[in-house]
Amino acid sequence: MTQAPAIPHVVGVLGGGRMGAGIAHAFLTKGANVIVVERDHEAAAGAQDRVADAVTKSVARGTLNETHEQAMSRFSTSTDYASFIHCGLVVEAVPEDYDLKVKALKAVEEHLSADAYLASNTSSLSVTGLAGELLRPANFVGLHFFNPVPASTLIEVVLAKETSPELAVAAKNWTEALGKTAVVVNDAPGFASSRLGVAIALEAMRMVEEGVASAEDIDAAMVLGYKHPTGPLKTTDIVGLDVRLGIAEYLHSTLGDRFAPPQILRDKVARGELGRKTGKGFFDWKD
Ligand SMILES: NC(=O)c1ccc[n+]([C@@H]2O[C@H](COP(=O)([O-])OP(=O)(O)OC[C@H]3O[C@@H](n4cnc5c(N)ncnc54)[C@H](O)[C@@H]3O)[C@@H](O)[C@H]2O)c1
């Protein structure tokens, strides 16, 4: 009988927002002891609620082999980075700001044992750049979870130049233990997922701009013709046009003109048409 790959006994998550709570829930429901560290008590209480809600949903779906109480007995929150002391792995999920992440990662690293691993859930920043700021870059890796974490089966494992081969293997094993599939990418702007996702979305926007077809028909071409679950423009509306513009600007600056944001994207963002969250993007979401 093959043995299931192990996840660390104690897993830390820095930042228990949308992604951090999802990541905490993922490890918790696979048997790990999980601690979320937040910036203040109010945020910690919010993280506690999000994880408890996610566990309630797992119970309702029948995907948990234990009670809500049993799972939550392994969960705790804190506002003190020193609480990570016993973690074999800490996953950072604070907002997407390079300086904030560097400061937070360095502070976490101070409290970890020399053999503990540190990961970032960054969706676009240079993992090699972040690794270079740390004392033990070989112990650092990108673990790019997708939103919403419970429903997504993908984790992009992003290897910094200095990520150790042992950690690369461990990251794949953790992914499998979480019931997800790993895609392993050598650190490059946009990794694999954002680079390809944004490339197709920008081309779809240019097609709207040039009057090639309507947003509905462009999306339908990809959904019906290529079996994409959601068209590139609707996906952009769901992600947020401002978020996509930020990524496109970053990819433009790192990979060149093919990622130059189309004017239609800039105009919509300037008008506050940010997609689903504002009720209008490439589609109308008011209903
Ligand atoms: N939302 C998505 O769709 C998505 C998908 C994949 C990856 N990501 C990445 O995940 C990361 C987090 O995104 P999110 O959407 O969960 O953001 P979020 O704003 O929902 O959560 C961030 C959390 O970090 C906490 N925080 C801020 N500074 C902190 C500090 N110094 N110490 C401890 N906690 C701190 C905040 O209180 C908040 O709860 C980002 O890097 C983002 O790019 C997001």
Side-chain angles (χ1 to χ4, degrees), residues 134-147:
L134 298 172
L135 297 172
R136 294 184 290 276
N139 287 13
F140 182 72
V141 71
L143 287 183
H144 184 202
F145 287 77
F146 285 71
N147 182 19

Side-chain angles (χ1 to χ4, degrees), residues 13-21 23 37-40 43-44 47 50 81 92-97 100-101 103-104 120-125 143-148 239 243:
V13 179
L14 183 71
R18 183 161 180 83
M19 295 305 291
I23 295 164
V37 172
E38 260 290 355
R39 60 181 167 183
D40 57 38
R50 277 186 285 281
Y81 286 28
E92 167 277 309
V94 301
E96 192 78 346
D97 174 306
L100 172 68
K101 284 197 191 278
K103 204 170 153 209
S120 174
N121 185 48
T122 179
S123 39
S124 65
L125 300 173
L143 287 183
H144 184 202
F145 287 77
F146 285 71
N147 182 19
V239 170
V243 175

